[in-house]
Amino acid sequence: MSESNNTAPPTSAASAHGLGYGLIKPLAVRLNESTRTQLDIIAQPNDRTVTDEVRLAIEAWIDKARTAPHIQRRAKDVRDEIEREVAGERDTIAAVFAAPPASKTPRTPPKPQAT
C-alpha cells in the first residue's frame, strides 16, 4: 500500500481518514527500506495508511511515556521551575508598581542650624 506525496496536510478531522485528529501538522520521518516495507505490510490488512500506523504507534508510545515515573518526575521538575520563574517575575512587577510614585516637586534641603 503506497501513500501519495500530497504536500498539503489535512486540515480537518474528517480529512484525516476519519480518525478524529483535528488539525494536522506534517512530520517527516526517515526510515530504512526494511522498516518501511514492514509498515506497508502491517497497514494493508488494517486498511490504514502507513501514516495512520505511524500516528497510532506514536500515540501509543506517548500514552506509555506519560505514565513513566521518570517522565512524571521530570515534568514536575519543569513545572516547579516554571512556577519559580513566574513567582520571581510576579514579585518584580509587584515591587515596581507597588512603589510610591516619585514626587514631582524637588525636595528642599533642610536649613543649616545656627551655632
Side-chain angles (χ1 to χ4, degrees):
M1 176 174 223
S2 69
E3 294 187 63
S4 68
N5 287 332
N6 185 354
T7 57
T11 57
S12 71
S15 61
H17 306 291
L19 298 176
Y21 285 106
L23 294 179
I24 302 293
K25 288 182 135 184
L27 170 68
V29 178
R30 300 196 187 285
L31 302 172
N32 65 39
E33 188 176 341
S34 172
T35 302
R36 174 57 197 243
T37 300
Q38 291 175 64
L39 280 170
D40 285 333
I41 292 168
I42 291 168
Q44 195 168 22
N46 291 326
D47 196 29
R48 291 191 286 249
T49 65
V50 169
T51 298
D52 291 336
E53 292 293 340
V54 170
R55 188 180 294 125
L56 291 168
I58 290 171
E59 288 172 355
W61 180 83
I62 289 171
D63 286 343
K64 181 180 176 185
R66 190 179 284 142
T67 61
H70 71 282
I71 299 286
Q72 290 182 352
R73 280 191 303 274
R74 180 66 183 126
K76 181 186 180 309
D77 292 345
V78 169
R79 280 191 308 267
D80 291 347
E81 179 61 27
I82 290 169
E83 289 298 323
R84 281 190 295 276
E85 290 174 7
V86 168
E89 291 176 15
R90 186 175 38 242
D91 293 346
T92 300
I93 291 169
V96 167
F97 289 102
S103 172
K104 293 188 182 204
T105 57
R107 253 182 63 187
T108 54
K111 294 182 180 180
Q113 294 185 3
T115 52

